[in-house]
Amino acid sequence: MKHLSILLLAFLLGNTGFLGAQSPRNPGPFAVGTRLVTIVDSSLATPQFNALVYHPATSVGFNAPFPATGSWPIVAFGHGFVLSYTDYDFVCEHLASHGYIVINPDVQNGFNVSHLEFARDMSACLRYLMTVDNDVSSDFYQRVDSLTGVYGHSMGGGASALV
């Protein structure tokens, strides 16, 4: 009986996840578009910086259009110590394919970094997306959901705990 239970559990949890749910390791249903944005916030140590935004799109590519309708939760991602923010394209693209808008700032590079400033930079990214959601001239107009989150790797993960 014990072996049958283990076999049944293995069958249910197979490659498709529990009871047929899609595995989170598989790409989501959306194509992924990217955009380069400039964040301006005079309260920051670096008052202007660029960030890459990954979002659900109708086709893959830079400045690809959003789907006709819908709004998506936003997530700010923080890169690891002495790593580039572009080293995490695969992570950000994966989340965007599942229906998230992910913003990845190009900040706190090199050896002289601050976790607190990194957290402030990620917060500024979230504020930026919430602001452009209300701007009729923005590509993000009415695309940003009120759900927000932060995450990161290594130093970015530590900074996300400070947001």
Side-chain angles (χ1 to χ4, degrees), residues 120-140:
R120 295 181 74 218
D121 295 336
M122 287 193 288
S123 292
C125 287
L126 296 174
R127 283 193 307 276
Y128 168 83
L129 288 173
M130 288 184 272
T131 300
V132 295
D133 180 57
N134 297 315
D135 180 353
V136 178
S137 66
S138 170
D139 293 330
F140 296 98

mmCIF file with all atom_site columns, all heavy atoms in Angstrom, residues 120-140:
data_model
loop_
_atom_site.group_PDB
_atom_site.id
_atom_site.type_symbol
_atom_site.label_atom_id
_atom_site.label_alt_id
_atom_site.label_comp_id
_atom_site.label_asym_id
_atom_site.label_entity_id
_atom_site.label_seq_id
_atom_site.pdbx_PDB_ins_code
_atom_site.Cartn_x
_atom_site.Cartn_y
_atom_site.Cartn_z
_atom_site.occupancy
_atom_site.B_iso_or_equiv
_atom_site.pdbx_formal_charge
_atom_site.auth_seq_id
_atom_site.auth_comp_id
_atom_site.auth_asym_id
_atom_site.auth_atom_id
_atom_site.pdbx_PDB_model_num
ATOM 1   N N   . ARG A 1 120 ? 15.427 51.859 -1.747  1.00 0.00 ? 120 ARG A N   1
ATOM 2   C CA  . ARG A 1 120 ? 14.774 53.117 -2.136  1.00 0.00 ? 120 ARG A CA  1
ATOM 3   C C   . ARG A 1 120 ? 14.619 53.200 -3.656  1.00 0.00 ? 120 ARG A C   1
ATOM 4   O O   . ARG A 1 120 ? 13.605 53.692 -4.159  1.00 0.00 ? 120 ARG A O   1
ATOM 5   C CB  . ARG A 1 120 ? 15.573 54.304 -1.596  1.00 0.00 ? 120 ARG A CB  1
ATOM 6   C CG  . ARG A 1 120 ? 15.563 54.346 -0.061  1.00 0.00 ? 120 ARG A CG  1
ATOM 7   C CD  . ARG A 1 120 ? 16.328 55.515 0.509   1.00 0.00 ? 120 ARG A CD  1
ATOM 8   N NE  . ARG A 1 120 ? 15.513 56.709 0.292   1.00 0.00 ? 120 ARG A NE  1
ATOM 9   C CZ  . ARG A 1 120 ? 16.006 57.899 -0.042  1.00 0.00 ? 120 ARG A CZ  1
ATOM 10  N NH1 . ARG A 1 120 ? 17.304 58.068 -0.189  1.00 0.00 ? 120 ARG A NH1 1
ATOM 11  N NH2 . ARG A 1 120 ? 15.207 58.920 -0.217  1.00 0.00 ? 120 ARG A NH2 1
ATOM 12  N N   . ASP A 1 121 ? 15.619 52.710 -4.391  1.00 0.00 ? 121 ASP A N   1
ATOM 13  C CA  . ASP A 1 121 ? 15.540 52.696 -5.860  1.00 0.00 ? 121 ASP A CA  1
ATOM 14  C C   . ASP A 1 121 ? 14.413 51.782 -6.334  1.00 0.00 ? 121 ASP A C   1
ATOM 15  O O   . ASP A 1 121 ? 13.646 52.138 -7.239  1.00 0.00 ? 121 ASP A O   1
ATOM 16  C CB  . ASP A 1 121 ? 16.867 52.234 -6.474  1.00 0.00 ? 121 ASP A CB  1
ATOM 17  C CG  . ASP A 1 121 ? 18.023 53.185 -6.202  1.00 0.00 ? 121 ASP A CG  1
ATOM 18  O OD1 . ASP A 1 121 ? 17.779 54.383 -5.945  1.00 0.00 ? 121 ASP A OD1 1
ATOM 19  O OD2 . ASP A 1 121 ? 19.185 52.718 -6.240  1.00 0.00 ? 121 ASP A OD2 1
ATOM 20  N N   . MET A 1 122 ? 14.287 50.610 -5.714  1.00 0.00 ? 122 MET A N   1
ATOM 21  C CA  . MET A 1 122 ? 13.210 49.685 -6.103  1.00 0.00 ? 122 MET A CA  1
ATOM 22  C C   . MET A 1 122 ? 11.845 50.268 -5.765  1.00 0.00 ? 122 MET A C   1
ATOM 23  O O   . MET A 1 122 ? 10.895 50.122 -6.532  1.00 0.00 ? 122 MET A O   1
ATOM 24  C CB  . MET A 1 122 ? 13.417 48.310 -5.452  1.00 0.00 ? 122 MET A CB  1
ATOM 25  C CG  . MET A 1 122 ? 14.561 47.539 -6.087  1.00 0.00 ? 122 MET A CG  1
ATOM 26  S SD  . MET A 1 122 ? 14.623 45.793 -5.621  1.00 0.00 ? 122 MET A SD  1
ATOM 27  C CE  . MET A 1 122 ? 15.179 45.898 -3.942  1.00 0.00 ? 122 MET A CE  1
ATOM 28  N N   . SER A 1 123 ? 11.750 50.945 -4.635  1.00 0.00 ? 123 SER A N   1
ATOM 29  C CA  . SER A 1 123 ? 10.488 51.619 -4.285  1.00 0.00 ? 123 SER A CA  1
ATOM 30  C C   . SER A 1 123 ? 10.146 52.691 -5.308  1.00 0.00 ? 123 SER A C   1
ATOM 31  O O   . SER A 1 123 ? 8.985  52.849 -5.695  1.00 0.00 ? 123 SER A O   1
ATOM 32  C CB  . SER A 1 123 ? 10.588 52.245 -2.892  1.00 0.00 ? 123 SER A CB  1
ATOM 33  O OG  . SER A 1 123 ? 10.664 51.256 -1.910  1.00 0.00 ? 123 SER A OG  1
ATOM 34  N N   . ALA A 1 124 ? 11.162 53.423 -5.758  1.00 0.00 ? 124 ALA A N   1
ATOM 35  C CA  . ALA A 1 124 ? 10.943 54.460 -6.773  1.00 0.00 ? 124 ALA A CA  1
ATOM 36  C C   . ALA A 1 124 ? 10.434 53.835 -8.072  1.00 0.00 ? 124 ALA A C   1
ATOM 37  O O   . ALA A 1 124 ? 9.593  54.425 -8.769  1.00 0.00 ? 124 ALA A O   1
ATOM 38  C CB  . ALA A 1 124 ? 12.236 55.238 -7.019  1.00 0.00 ? 124 ALA A CB  1
ATOM 39  N N   . CYS A 1 125 ? 10.920 52.645 -8.397  1.00 0.00 ? 125 CYS A N   1
ATOM 40  C CA  . CYS A 1 125 ? 10.440 51.943 -9.600  1.00 0.00 ? 125 CYS A CA  1
ATOM 41  C C   . CYS A 1 125 ? 8.951  51.627 -9.491  1.00 0.00 ? 125 CYS A C   1
ATOM 42  O O   . CYS A 1 125 ? 8.198  51.820 -10.447 1.00 0.00 ? 125 CYS A O   1
ATOM 43  C CB  . CYS A 1 125 ? 11.235 50.656 -9.812  1.00 0.00 ? 125 CYS A CB  1
ATOM 44  S SG  . CYS A 1 125 ? 12.918 50.912 -10.382 1.00 0.00 ? 125 CYS A SG  1
ATOM 45  N N   . LEU A 1 126 ? 8.536  51.145 -8.337  1.00 0.00 ? 126 LEU A N   1
ATOM 46  C CA  . LEU A 1 126 ? 7.115  50.835 -8.136  1.00 0.00 ? 126 LEU A CA  1
ATOM 47  C C   . LEU A 1 126 ? 6.268  52.105 -8.208  1.00 0.00 ? 126 LEU A C   1
ATOM 48  O O   . LEU A 1 126 ? 5.208  52.117 -8.834  1.00 0.00 ? 126 LEU A O   1
ATOM 49  C CB  . LEU A 1 126 ? 6.908  50.118 -6.801  1.00 0.00 ? 126 LEU A CB  1
ATOM 50  C CG  . LEU A 1 126 ? 7.560  48.738 -6.671  1.00 0.00 ? 126 LEU A CG  1
ATOM 51  C CD1 . LEU A 1 126 ? 7.387  48.208 -5.247  1.00 0.00 ? 126 LEU A CD1 1
ATOM 52  C CD2 . LEU A 1 126 ? 7.011  47.765 -7.686  1.00 0.00 ? 126 LEU A CD2 1
ATOM 53  N N   . ARG A 1 127 ? 6.748  53.169 -7.574  1.00 0.00 ? 127 ARG A N   1
ATOM 54  C CA  . ARG A 1 127 ? 6.020  54.450 -7.635  1.00 0.00 ? 127 ARG A CA  1
ATOM 55  C C   . ARG A 1 127 ? 5.915  54.950 -9.073  1.00 0.00 ? 127 ARG A C   1
ATOM 56  O O   . ARG A 1 127 ? 4.871  55.460 -9.483  1.00 0.00 ? 127 ARG A O   1
ATOM 57  C CB  . ARG A 1 127 ? 6.708  55.512 -6.763  1.00 0.00 ? 127 ARG A CB  1
ATOM 58  C CG  . ARG A 1 127 ? 6.447  55.356 -5.291  1.00 0.00 ? 127 ARG A CG  1
ATOM 59  C CD  . ARG A 1 127 ? 6.877  56.587 -4.501  1.00 0.00 ? 127 ARG A CD  1
ATOM 60  N NE  . ARG A 1 127 ? 8.260  56.995 -4.757  1.00 0.00 ? 127 ARG A NE  1
ATOM 61  C CZ  . ARG A 1 127 ? 9.331  56.476 -4.149  1.00 0.00 ? 127 ARG A CZ  1
ATOM 62  N NH1 . ARG A 1 127 ? 9.177  55.534 -3.242  1.00 0.00 ? 127 ARG A NH1 1
ATOM 63  N NH2 . ARG A 1 127 ? 10.531 56.926 -4.429  1.00 0.00 ? 127 ARG A NH2 1
ATOM 64  N N   . TYR A 1 128 ? 6.985  54.799 -9.833  1.00 0.00 ? 128 TYR A N   1
ATOM 65  C CA  . TYR A 1 128 ? 6.978  55.221 -11.231 1.00 0.00 ? 128 TYR A CA  1
ATOM 66  C C   . TYR A 1 128 ? 5.863  54.506 -12.003 1.00 0.00 ? 128 TYR A C   1
ATOM 67  O O   . TYR A 1 128 ? 5.079  55.142 -12.707 1.00 0.00 ? 128 TYR A O   1
ATOM 68  C CB  . TYR A 1 128 ? 8.342  54.927 -11.882 1.00 0.00 ? 128 TYR A CB  1
ATOM 69  C CG  . TYR A 1 128 ? 8.320  55.058 -13.374 1.00 0.00 ? 128 TYR A CG  1
ATOM 70  C CD1 . TYR A 1 128 ? 8.460  56.304 -13.984 1.00 0.00 ? 128 TYR A CD1 1
ATOM 71  C CD2 . TYR A 1 128 ? 8.142  53.934 -14.195 1.00 0.00 ? 128 TYR A CD2 1
ATOM 72  C CE1 . TYR A 1 128 ? 8.412  56.434 -15.362 1.00 0.00 ? 128 TYR A CE1 1
ATOM 73  C CE2 . TYR A 1 128 ? 8.099  54.059 -15.564 1.00 0.00 ? 128 TYR A CE2 1
ATOM 74  C CZ  . TYR A 1 128 ? 8.234  55.304 -16.150 1.00 0.00 ? 128 TYR A CZ  1
ATOM 75  O OH  . TYR A 1 128 ? 8.185  55.425 -17.510 1.00 0.00 ? 128 TYR A OH  1
ATOM 76  N N   . LEU A 1 129 ? 5.796  53.184 -11.865 1.00 0.00 ? 129 LEU A N   1
ATOM 77  C CA  . LEU A 1 129 ? 4.773  52.427 -12.600 1.00 0.00 ? 129 LEU A CA  1
ATOM 78  C C   . LEU A 1 129 ? 3.365  52.804 -12.152 1.00 0.00 ? 129 LEU A C   1
ATOM 79  O O   . LEU A 1 129 ? 2.452  52.893 -12.974 1.00 0.00 ? 129 LEU A O   1
ATOM 80  C CB  . LEU A 1 129 ? 5.007  50.923 -12.459 1.00 0.00 ? 129 LEU A CB  1
ATOM 81  C CG  . LEU A 1 129 ? 6.205  50.379 -13.231 1.00 0.00 ? 129 LEU A CG  1
ATOM 82  C CD1 . LEU A 1 129 ? 6.455  48.916 -12.878 1.00 0.00 ? 129 LEU A CD1 1
ATOM 83  C CD2 . LEU A 1 129 ? 6.007  50.545 -14.732 1.00 0.00 ? 129 LEU A CD2 1
ATOM 84  N N   . MET A 1 130 ? 3.179  53.039 -10.864 1.00 0.00 ? 130 MET A N   1
ATOM 85  C CA  . MET A 1 130 ? 1.852  53.437 -10.383 1.00 0.00 ? 130 MET A CA  1
ATOM 86  C C   . MET A 1 130 ? 1.479  54.826 -10.903 1.00 0.00 ? 130 MET A C   1
ATOM 87  O O   . MET A 1 130 ? 0.309  55.095 -11.174 1.00 0.00 ? 130 MET A O   1
ATOM 88  C CB  . MET A 1 130 ? 1.800  53.376 -8.862  1.00 0.00 ? 130 MET A CB  1
ATOM 89  C CG  . MET A 1 130 ? 1.796  51.942 -8.357  1.00 0.00 ? 130 MET A CG  1
ATOM 90  S SD  . MET A 1 130 ? 1.610  51.822 -6.569  1.00 0.00 ? 130 MET A SD  1
ATOM 91  C CE  . MET A 1 130 ? 3.306  51.927 -6.056  1.00 0.00 ? 130 MET A CE  1
ATOM 92  N N   . THR A 1 131 ? 2.474  55.690 -11.069 1.00 0.00 ? 131 THR A N   1
ATOM 93  C CA  . THR A 1 131 ? 2.221  57.035 -11.582 1.00 0.00 ? 131 THR A CA  1
ATOM 94  C C   . THR A 1 131 ? 1.881  57.009 -13.067 1.00 0.00 ? 131 THR A C   1
ATOM 95  O O   . THR A 1 131 ? 0.913  57.642 -13.495 1.00 0.00 ? 131 THR A O   1
ATOM 96  C CB  . THR A 1 131 ? 3.450  57.938 -11.329 1.00 0.00 ? 131 THR A CB  1
ATOM 97  O OG1 . THR A 1 131 ? 3.680  58.005 -9.932  1.00 0.00 ? 131 THR A OG1 1
ATOM 98  C CG2 . THR A 1 131 ? 3.225  59.330 -11.884 1.00 0.00 ? 131 THR A CG2 1
ATOM 99  N N   . VAL A 1 132 ? 2.673  56.278 -13.868 1.00 0.00 ? 132 VAL A N   1
ATOM 100 C CA  . VAL A 1 132 ? 2.407  56.266 -15.314 1.00 0.00 ? 132 VAL A CA  1
ATOM 101 C C   . VAL A 1 132 ? 1.118  55.516 -15.646 1.00 0.00 ? 132 VAL A C   1
ATOM 102 O O   . VAL A 1 132 ? 0.571  55.687 -16.731 1.00 0.00 ? 132 VAL A O   1
ATOM 103 C CB  . VAL A 1 132 ? 3.597  55.721 -16.136 1.00 0.00 ? 132 VAL A CB  1
ATOM 104 C CG1 . VAL A 1 132 ? 4.799  56.643 -16.004 1.00 0.00 ? 132 VAL A CG1 1
ATOM 105 C CG2 . VAL A 1 132 ? 3.948  54.294 -15.740 1.00 0.00 ? 132 VAL A CG2 1
ATOM 106 N N   . ASP A 1 133 ? 0.624  54.708 -14.715 1.00 0.00 ? 133 ASP A N   1
ATOM 107 C CA  . ASP A 1 133 ? -0.665 54.048 -14.919 1.00 0.00 ? 133 ASP A CA  1
ATOM 108 C C   . ASP A 1 133 ? -1.791 55.073 -15.048 1.00 0.00 ? 133 ASP A C   1
ATOM 109 O O   . ASP A 1 133 ? -2.801 54.812 -15.689 1.00 0.00 ? 133 ASP A O   1
ATOM 110 C CB  . ASP A 1 133 ? -0.965 53.097 -13.763 1.00 0.00 ? 133 ASP A CB  1
ATOM 111 C CG  . ASP A 1 133 ? -2.295 52.386 -13.924 1.00 0.00 ? 133 ASP A CG  1
ATOM 112 O OD1 . ASP A 1 133 ? -2.492 51.706 -14.944 1.00 0.00 ? 133 ASP A OD1 1
ATOM 113 O OD2 . ASP A 1 133 ? -3.147 52.526 -13.027 1.00 0.00 ? 133 ASP A OD2 1
ATOM 114 N N   . ASN A 1 134 ? -1.610 56.236 -14.454 1.00 0.00 ? 134 ASN A N   1
ATOM 115 C CA  . ASN A 1 134 ? -2.620 57.302 -14.511 1.00 0.00 ? 134 ASN A CA  1
ATOM 116 C C   . ASN A 1 134 ? -2.355 58.331 -15.595 1.00 0.00 ? 134 ASN A C   1
ATOM 117 O O   . ASN A 1 134 ? -3.098 59.301 -15.722 1.00 0.00 ? 134 ASN A O   1
ATOM 118 C CB  . ASN A 1 134 ? -2.699 58.010 -13.150 1.00 0.00 ? 134 ASN A CB  1
ATOM 119 C CG  . ASN A 1 134 ? -3.160 57.069 -12.066 1.00 0.00 ? 134 ASN A CG  1
ATOM 120 O OD1 . ASN A 1 134 ? -4.109 56.320 -12.254 1.00 0.00 ? 134 ASN A OD1 1
ATOM 121 N ND2 . ASN A 1 134 ? -2.474 57.086 -10.941 1.00 0.00 ? 134 ASN A ND2 1
ATOM 122 N N   . ASP A 1 135 ? -1.291 58.154 -16.372 1.00 0.00 ? 135 ASP A N   1
ATOM 123 C CA  . ASP A 1 135 ? -0.908 59.111 -17.406 1.00 0.00 ? 135 ASP A CA  1
ATOM 124 C C   . ASP A 1 135 ? -1.462 58.646 -18.757 1.00 0.00 ? 135 ASP A C   1
ATOM 125 O O   . ASP A 1 135 ? -1.013 57.650 -19.306 1.00 0.00 ? 135 ASP A O   1
ATOM 126 C CB  . ASP A 1 135 ? 0.610  59.207 -17.459 1.00 0.00 ? 135 ASP A CB  1
ATOM 127 C CG  . ASP A 1 135 ? 1.131  60.181 -18.497 1.00 0.00 ? 135 ASP A CG  1
ATOM 128 O OD1 . ASP A 1 135 ? 0.329  60.721 -19.300 1.00 0.00 ? 135 ASP A OD1 1
ATOM 129 O OD2 . ASP A 1 135 ? 2.353  60.401 -18.508 1.00 0.00 ? 135 ASP A OD2 1
ATOM 130 N N   . VAL A 1 136 ? -2.423 59.389 -19.280 1.00 0.00 ? 136 VAL A N   1
ATOM 131 C CA  . VAL A 1 136 ? -3.098 59.011 -20.533 1.00 0.00 ? 136 VAL A CA  1
ATOM 132 C C   . VAL A 1 136 ? -2.107 58.860 -21.689 1.00 0.00 ? 136 VAL A C   1
ATOM 133 O O   . VAL A 1 136 ? -2.312 58.041 -22.580 1.00 0.00 ? 136 VAL A O   1
ATOM 134 C CB  . VAL A 1 136 ? -4.185 60.057 -20.890 1.00 0.00 ? 136 VAL A CB  1
ATOM 135 C CG1 . VAL A 1 136 ? -4.866 59.728 -22.196 1.00 0.00 ? 136 VAL A CG1 1
ATOM 136 C CG2 . VAL A 1 136 ? -5.196 60.162 -19.775 1.00 0.00 ? 136 VAL A CG2 1
ATOM 137 N N   . SER A 1 137 ? -1.005 59.597 -21.662 1.00 0.00 ? 137 SER A N   1
ATOM 138 C CA  . SER A 1 137 ? -0.036 59.533 -22.761 1.00 0.00 ? 137 SER A CA  1
ATOM 139 C C   . SER A 1 137 ? 0.969  58.384 -22.614 1.00 0.00 ? 137 SER A C   1
ATOM 140 O O   . SER A 1 137 ? 1.793  58.152 -23.496 1.00 0.00 ? 137 SER A O   1
ATOM 141 C CB  . SER A 1 137 ? 0.721  60.861 -22.876 1.00 0.00 ? 137 SER A CB  1
ATOM 142 O OG  . SER A 1 137 ? 1.514  61.069 -21.727 1.00 0.00 ? 137 SER A OG  1
ATOM 143 N N   . SER A 1 138 ? 0.906  57.646 -21.517 1.00 0.00 ? 138 SER A N   1
ATOM 144 C CA  . SER A 1 138 ? 1.858  56.575 -21.249 1.00 0.00 ? 138 SER A CA  1
ATOM 145 C C   . SER A 1 138 ? 1.405  55.247 -21.860 1.00 0.00 ? 138 SER A C   1
ATOM 146 O O   . SER A 1 138 ? 0.218  54.942 -21.913 1.00 0.00 ? 138 SER A O   1
ATOM 147 C CB  . SER A 1 138 ? 2.012  56.394 -19.736 1.00 0.00 ? 138 SER A CB  1
ATOM 148 O OG  . SER A 1 138 ? 2.733  55.228 -19.444 1.00 0.00 ? 138 SER A OG  1
ATOM 149 N N   . ASP A 1 139 ? 2.378  54.453 -22.284 1.00 0.00 ? 139 ASP A N   1
ATOM 150 C CA  . ASP A 1 139 ? 2.086  53.084 -22.744 1.00 0.00 ? 139 ASP A CA  1
ATOM 151 C C   . ASP A 1 139 ? 1.548  52.219 -21.610 1.00 0.00 ? 139 ASP A C   1
ATOM 152 O O   . ASP A 1 139 ? 0.936  51.189 -21.849 1.00 0.00 ? 139 ASP A O   1
ATOM 153 C CB  . ASP A 1 139 ? 3.341  52.426 -23.306 1.00 0.00 ? 139 ASP A CB  1
ATOM 154 C CG  . ASP A 1 139 ? 3.824  53.079 -24.585 1.00 0.00 ? 139 ASP A CG  1
ATOM 155 O OD1 . ASP A 1 139 ? 2.986  53.617 -25.339 1.00 0.00 ? 139 ASP A OD1 1
ATOM 156 O OD2 . ASP A 1 139 ? 5.045  53.056 -24.829 1.00 0.00 ? 139 ASP A OD2 1
ATOM 157 N N   . PHE A 1 140 ? 1.789  52.631 -20.377 1.00 0.00 ? 140 PHE A N   1
ATOM 158 C CA  . PHE A 1 140 ? 1.350  51.873 -19.205 1.00 0.00 ? 140 PHE A CA  1
ATOM 159 C C   . PHE A 1 140 ? -0.014 52.316 -18.694 1.00 0.00 ? 140 PHE A C   1
ATOM 160 O O   . PHE A 1 140 ? -0.481 51.809 -17.673 1.00 0.00 ? 140 PHE A O   1
ATOM 161 C CB  . PHE A 1 140 ? 2.378  51.999 -18.070 1.00 0.00 ? 140 PHE A CB  1
ATOM 162 C CG  . PHE A 1 140 ? 3.706  51.399 -18.398 1.00 0.00 ? 140 PHE A CG  1
ATOM 163 C CD1 . PHE A 1 140 ? 4.746  52.198 -18.845 1.00 0.00 ? 140 PHE A CD1 1
ATOM 164 C CD2 . PHE A 1 140 ? 3.927  50.046 -18.275 1.00 0.00 ? 140 PHE A CD2 1
ATOM 165 C CE1 . PHE A 1 140 ? 5.974  51.651 -19.155 1.00 0.00 ? 140 PHE A CE1 1
ATOM 166 C CE2 . PHE A 1 140 ? 5.143  49.476 -18.591 1.00 0.00 ? 140 PHE A CE2 1
ATOM 167 C CZ  . PHE A 1 140 ? 6.181  50.288 -19.033 1.00 0.00 ? 140 PHE A CZ  1
#
